[in-house]
């Protein structure tokens, strides 16, 4: 149990450091991305947990919810922000799809390692479902964010990877 609590603490520290690296100019974009992704992960995690695709034996709020607060509301949204800030916006479609594949693969490997070596998560379904839902959540988050920040017709959308944000 102490091992899992230490891992959760490290996840909090890593997430805070990752979010601190976004800079002052990106605070609004970061908050918006976090809220969008938290909403999606909350809904998806509740559905997948109720369908017994996975469970969280060790969690911070066991009486409030069946999902892990640190995973769904802190770590994965911070990871999503990192995904969006490194997105190859002006590159080819192959690079953009590769970006989704890379980040979804890292996510699934992380989840699988956590399931195998800790009691934080137990997978009862194929990791394919995690891959599919996480990729979809990243895509939806990106579409919703771009919808929020769209500019006048004929002008380019303010990209997340630009230094001016």
């Amino acid at each position: 149990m102490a091992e899992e609590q230490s891992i959760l603490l490290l996840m909090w520290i890593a997430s805070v450091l990752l979010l601190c690296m976004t800079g002052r100019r990106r605070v609004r974009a970061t908050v918006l991305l976090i809220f969008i992704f938290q909403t999606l992960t909350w809904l998806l995690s509740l559905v997948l947990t109720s369908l017994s695709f996975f469970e969280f034996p060790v969690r911070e709020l066991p009486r409030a919810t069946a999902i892990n607060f640190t995973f769904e509301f802190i770590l994965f949204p911070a990871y999503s922000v990192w995904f969006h800030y490194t997105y190859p916006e002006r590159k080819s479609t192959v690079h953009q799809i590769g970006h989704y594949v890379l980040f979804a693969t890292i996510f699934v490997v992380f989840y699988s390692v956590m399931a195998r070596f800790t009691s934080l998560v137990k997978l009862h379904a194929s990791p394919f479902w995690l891959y599919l839902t996480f990729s979809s959540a990243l895509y939806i988050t990106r579409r919703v964010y771009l919808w929020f920040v769209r500019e006048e017709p004929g002008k380019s959308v303010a990209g997340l990877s630009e230094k001016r944000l």
Side-chain angles (χ1 to χ4, degrees):
M1 186 67 115
E3 177 183 317
E4 282 80 10
Q5 299 300 330
S6 300
I7 292 171
L8 290 173
L9 179 64
L10 286 174
M11 287 183 200
W12 274 83
I13 292 169
S15 299
V16 169
L17 289 175
L18 190 62
L19 291 174
C20 287
M21 291 174 27
T22 60
R24 283 187 173 183
R25 293 181 181 167
R26 294 180 173 178
V27 170
R28 286 187 205 164
T30 300
V31 170
L32 179 60
L33 285 167
I34 287 171
F35 285 158
I36 294 168
F37 200 80
Q38 281 178 340
T39 302
L40 286 172
T41 58
W42 175 67
L43 291 171
L44 288 171
S45 295
L46 286 177
V47 169
L48 294 175
T49 303
S50 67
L51 293 174
S52 298
F53 281 32
F54 51 78
E55 66 177 299
F56 300 99
V58 177
R59 53 189 188 272
E60 296 86 349
L61 308 168
R63 291 186 180 177
T65 183
I67 60 176
N68 189 307
F69 183 81
T70 299
F71 277 15
E72 309 301 331
F73 292 100
I74 306 300
L75 183 67
F76 297 154
Y79 186 69
S80 171
V81 168
W82 184 37
F83 166 84
H84 291 287
Y85 284 155
T86 59
Y87 188 78
E89 191 171 335
R90 291 180 176 84
K91 301 267 180 163
S92 69
T93 305
V94 173
H95 279 93
Q96 294 174 355
I97 292 171
H99 196 71
Y100 280 100
V101 169
L102 174 67
F103 274 77
T105 301
I106 291 170
F107 167 79
V108 171
V109 167
F110 172 78
Y111 230 74
S112 299
V113 167
M114 288 292 119
R116 181 169 173 98
F117 296 110
T118 71
S119 299
L120 290 173
V121 62
K122 288 185 181 177
L123 294 175
H124 300 297
S126 168
F128 168 77
W129 292 106
L130 289 174
Y131 199 86
L132 182 68
T133 57
F134 194 75
S135 300
S136 301
L138 288 174
Y139 180 78
I140 292 168
T141 302
R142 179 147 184 86
R143 291 289 124 208
V144 171
Y145 175 80
L146 292 175
W147 176 69
F148 267 96
V149 298
R150 72 173 172 240
E151 296 179 359
E152 297 175 20
K155 291 187 176 181
S156 66
V157 174
L160 290 171
S161 57
E162 293 181 15
K163 299 292 183 195
R164 292 177 278 143
L165 280 179

